[in-house]
Amino acid sequence: MLKRKRCLCCCVLLCALLTALIGQTACAGGYTYFTESEQTAYAQSCLTEVFGYPAKEAESFVFEHTETDGIATLKYWHLEHPEWVYVATFSLTDGQILTSESPFHSSFSGYPGENSVRYDMNKICEQGLLNNWNKTSREAFRTILEEDGFKGCAALEKGLLSADYTAAEAVRDFFVSCYGEPAEWNAPVSQWCSQVLERYGLTLPETPGMPKKGVVRYRSETKDSYVLTEFHEAVPPELVEAFAHPKLGGWQILSGASVLFEEYDAGYGLTAFGKGEKRMLCVLIREKDTDWKVLPVGENALPVGCSVQITRLDPLSSEIANRYTIRFESEACKAAEMQVAVVYDGGRVPCLLKSFSFTDTETGNIYTAKPDDGLYLFSCKTPSGETPEQLLTDSTFTSDLMYLELDALMAAMKAPDQADGFRLPENTVILTGVHLRKETSSRSKDLGMLNAGTMAKKLGTERGDPHSWYRVQIGSLTGYVSSVYVDETLTRSVDTTLPVAMAQMDTSLRSHTGLLAETCGTITSGDSMHIILEDGGWYYVCVPTEQPAGKWMDPEGVYGYIRKDEVTVGNSVLQMEWQAALTK
């Protein structure tokens, strides 16, 4: 930002000034140092050039000087705020600046620097935007931030596009953008925010951050312009038909958000429903020239009885249109937040967990989890501020919310060493997407592209150049796969979900795709199976011993070929059941 460059230049000039002054004054003790008046002049320059105070306001500071054991300490504060103390220390032996501390410094990752915070807030106040809050004021507020390259939090960015957004909320969210959530602010930052609110007679709602009942829309005129719709206990008109789905009978809308790219007439969304204490998460998908449709994620992705708020992760970014934030509270946890991504790939629509954090109601511990290369990276922060070493659990919790039981994940976050996730059967490996070869060579006959997530029985290992080969068996298929694409510990493939197919009619599994193929299994309409590979107009599938098919394929299931036109393909059996319900 321009202002920050200015601060850096000023700091260089101040250092040069300091160096010049150091050489001008000496004392009998052999020290070379500033006089008290020179220390004060240095501090006043810092106030205006580094910390962003107007020159007139800098004149209202009180300065206190002390010298002990060759160290000069300068403390200074505004006459009206003796609790906001700045501190600078200097070495009296060589005149070097040892420390410089501000009461408003923050370790928050988005902290733009005190000069930026004060400069922008002063400009907002000088233009009288908080005195007469309206659409023009909101636009001017945004202009000030954009000119400074300021990155606001989601609430601020969206709020400045909404007529319901108040000046008090804008002030609070401005400070949230600079210093993080209010719970993380130190006393001076909290007092500073309160001072601005009091000066203009602004009052925050009693329940800050809680969504307003109804439907709110925001339009973003970015490279790919779109309309963001957020709704709470209300149904947007364009979703009325989708929410009339027969599977949603008795369910009430709690919260949701959707993004529609008007140029492409397509979009994504995420929404939560409630029926008594039950909670259900669903995704929303709109393809070009079609209406919105709703597909279930499931009833295990949210705690029972929780309050829910769903918002777009970044309201003004078109780069992550499919990312959303889910905030909820229940008896077991508070301040819980999940960041998820809705992914659309033809008929498959997984909803992937990107991060999760919550505060335990009993202990006050703050737990966080983040998928990390197929596993989860856990950490815990206690009320005392201790942050133990992060633990990588050896249990396998998928990040696909369709198959993730949130209660089990929360229990594992509290006790990672006691977590018990899925384990591969003995002598079984999982493939991350690889060609099955007749011999140990990439030039050997290709027996088919095995989908990522396929489980195979390991028959042996043979040397290769540069990588070894595994001889594997998947049902009636036997061949070789490169070890590069083999996972024996589930560290790389836990998030891989095999495509699922559902039979549209009573039919049979065939031993191969030829005319003389034998029947190797009977399929009833509605039976589900995992797709191992495609072969022309056929799928090679594994039908589990117990219906329905889940995330993991059943290595002991029945294998065979089935025609593509005899099945429906999707991300999960549950989603396919919902789609089938619309045709009945």
Side-chain angles (χ1 to χ4, degrees):
M1 292 185 295
L2 177 60
K3 206 162 53 274
R4 293 184 194 176
K5 293 179 180 179
R6 184 191 65 188
C7 291
L8 178 61
C9 293
C10 291
C11 288
V12 173
L13 292 174
L14 287 172
C15 289
L17 173 62
L18 175 60
T19 302
L21 291 173
I22 287 173
Q24 294 176 1
T25 310
C27 79
Y31 294 142
T32 300
Y33 60 96
F34 279 139
T35 64
E36 290 187 358
S37 61
E38 290 165 342
Q39 292 178 30
T40 299
Y42 167 78
Q44 287 178 323
S45 295
C46 284
L47 286 172
T48 56
E49 302 299 331
V50 179
F51 301 127
Y53 285 93
K56 187 174 182 180
E57 193 170 351
E59 296 173 358
S60 300
F61 271 69
V62 177
F63 300 88
E64 179 181 273
H65 306 265
T66 58
E67 296 180 4
T68 305
D69 298 329
I71 302 297
T73 301
L74 171 64
K75 296 182 178 181
Y76 49 111
W77 58 88
H78 195 282
L79 186 63
E80 296 179 359
H81 294 284
E83 70 277 20
W84 300 351
V85 181
Y86 294 82
V87 181
T89 61
F90 312 88
S91 169
L92 295 179
T93 57
D94 57 15
Q96 295 298 313
I97 301 174
L98 300 180
T99 63
S100 181
E101 301 175 7
S102 164
F104 301 104
H105 178 72
S106 174
S107 59
F108 175 58
S109 60
Y111 179 55
E114 187 175 339
N115 183 293
S116 292
V117 179
R118 183 167 284 104
Y119 178 88
D120 287 342
M121 181 50 65
N122 285 342
K123 198 167 184 179
I124 289 166
C125 295
E126 289 171 359
Q127 293 187 15
L129 305 185
L130 303 179
N131 288 320
N132 183 26
W133 189 252
N134 51 35
K135 180 179 180 180
T136 301
S137 301
R138 294 194 305 274
E139 292 176 350
F141 198 117
R142 285 189 64 192
T143 298
I144 290 174
L145 302 184
E146 289 172 355
E147 289 178 345
D148 189 31
F150 184 92
K151 178 63 176 176
C153 65
L156 179 62
E157 299 283 4
K158 290 188 300 184
L160 293 175
L161 297 172
S162 172
D164 296 329
Y165 198 56
T166 68
E169 291 172 319
V171 171
R172 178 202 60 208
D173 293 338
F174 172 83
F175 278 91
V176 167
S177 302
C178 300
Y179 291 99
E181 293 300 320
E184 304 296 324
W185 297 354
N186 62 20
V189 172
S190 296
Q191 294 164 358
W192 185 7
C193 180
S194 297
Q195 180 191 59
V196 175
L197 294 173
E198 292 172 3
R199 181 189 305 167
Y200 294 96
L202 305 177
T203 304
L204 286 168
E206 294 183 4
T207 54
M210 292 300 293
K212 297 180 177 67
K213 182 176 180 179
V215 178
V216 181
R217 301 188 193 277
Y218 312 90
R219 181 178 295 275
S220 176
E221 300 298 340
T222 56
K223 178 181 178 181
D224 295 316
S225 61
Y226 62 86
V227 174
L228 166 62
T229 303
E230 293 185 351
F231 44 99
H232 187 71
E233 298 181 14
V235 181
E238 66 273 18
L239 295 178
V240 170
E241 184 174 350
F243 288 177
H245 195 290
K247 291 286 188 177
L248 284 174
W251 289 89
Q252 304 295 319
I253 181 65
L254 298 179
S255 185
S258 66
V259 175
L260 177 65
F261 288 91
E262 296 176 302
E263 180 179 353
Y264 308 104
D265 190 28
Y268 302 86
L270 192 66
T271 182
F273 295 89
K275 180 191 289 187
E277 291 294 297
K278 293 182 179 180
R279 297 292 181 266
M280 179 167 57
L281 191 65
C282 294
V283 296
L284 297 166
I285 295 294
R286 176 166 173 171
E287 299 177 86
K288 186 176 179 61
D289 298 326
T290 66
D291 295 325
W292 284 97
K293 63 181 178 180
V294 58
L295 294 172
V297 174
E299 295 183 34
N300 295 320
L302 295 171
V304 296
C306 69
S307 60
V308 187
Q309 178 188 5
I310 298 177
T311 59
R312 173 87 184 283
L313 178 62
D314 188 338
L316 296 186
S317 172
S318 61
E319 301 300 322
I320 50 176
N322 63 335
R323 299 288 288 274
Y324 298 88
T325 298
I326 307 174
R327 296 182 178 89
F328 61 85
E329 292 193 359
S330 66
E331 292 184 2
C333 65
K334 59 182 181 179
E337 180 173 303
M338 302 165 63
Q339 291 187 7
V340 303
V342 178
V343 181
Y344 182 68
D345 180 16
R348 308 181 65 197
V349 192
C351 184
L352 305 179
L353 181 65
K354 295 299 183 180
S355 66
F356 176 45
S357 65
F358 73 93
T359 301
D360 184 71
T361 53
E362 293 185 359
T363 64
N365 291 345
I366 301 175
Y367 296 94
T368 61
K370 186 175 182 179
D372 182 71
D373 195 22
L375 296 177
Y376 271 86
L377 196 61
F378 294 163
S379 65
C380 171
K381 182 176 181 181
T382 67
S384 62
E386 299 173 357
T387 306
E389 183 179 359
Q390 292 183 323
L391 301 173
L392 187 62
T393 177
D394 61 357
S395 62
T396 52
F397 288 97
T398 174
S399 67
D400 189 340
L401 288 173
M402 179 71 66
Y403 300 104
L404 176 66
E405 293 189 3
L406 192 64
D407 289 341
L409 175 61
M410 293 170 66
M413 292 168 68
K414 295 180 182 180
D417 56 334
Q418 299 178 23
D420 185 20
F422 176 81
R423 296 292 182 273
L424 281 171
E426 188 176 358
N427 294 325
T428 299
V429 295
I430 192 166
L431 309 178
T432 57
V434 60
H435 289 276
L436 182 68
R437 300 288 180 179
K438 186 175 182 179
E439 305 292 344
T440 57
S441 169
S442 59
R443 297 179 181 178
S444 175
K445 182 179 179 180
D446 187 355
L447 302 180
M449 179 66 182
L450 300 170
N451 287 324
T454 297
M455 292 185 188
K457 184 177 180 180
K458 180 181 175 182
L459 302 178
T461 306
E462 296 191 20
R463 289 184 179 181
D465 183 16
H467 304 288
S468 60
W469 290 80
Y470 284 13
R471 186 166 182 262
V472 297
Q473 179 179 357
I474 309 101
S476 62
L477 297 180
T478 301
Y480 294 88
V481 294
S482 172
S483 60
V484 175
Y485 303 97
V486 175
D487 183 3
E488 299 184 77
T489 60
L490 286 177
T491 56
R492 289 180 291 159
S493 52
V494 68
D495 287 330
T496 300
T497 304
L498 276 170
V500 179
M502 179 181 289
Q504 299 176 349
M505 61 192 75
D506 294 346
T507 185
S508 299
L509 286 182
R510 285 81 160 177
S511 58
H512 56 80
T513 61
L515 294 176
L516 301 180
E518 297 178 355
T519 297
C520 53
T522 300
I523 302 296
T524 301
S525 177
D527 282 354
S528 56
M529 60 210 77
H530 286 105
I531 300 175
I532 306 302
L533 58 80
E534 298 183 38
D535 186 352
W538 299 76
Y539 290 127
Y540 183 64
V541 301
C542 175
V543 183
T545 54
E546 294 184 8
Q547 291 287 332
K551 171 178 171 55
W552 305 107
M553 66 171 280
D554 179 5
E556 302 301 322
V558 180
Y559 296 83
Y561 289 87
I562 192 169
R563 290 186 181 277
K564 288 183 177 180
D565 57 11
E566 295 178 330
V567 297
T568 300
V569 179
N571 183 61
S572 72
V573 174
L574 183 60
Q575 287 188 355
M576 287 190 289
E577 288 176 344
W578 275 50
Q579 294 188 72
L582 293 175
T583 62
K584 294 181 179 179

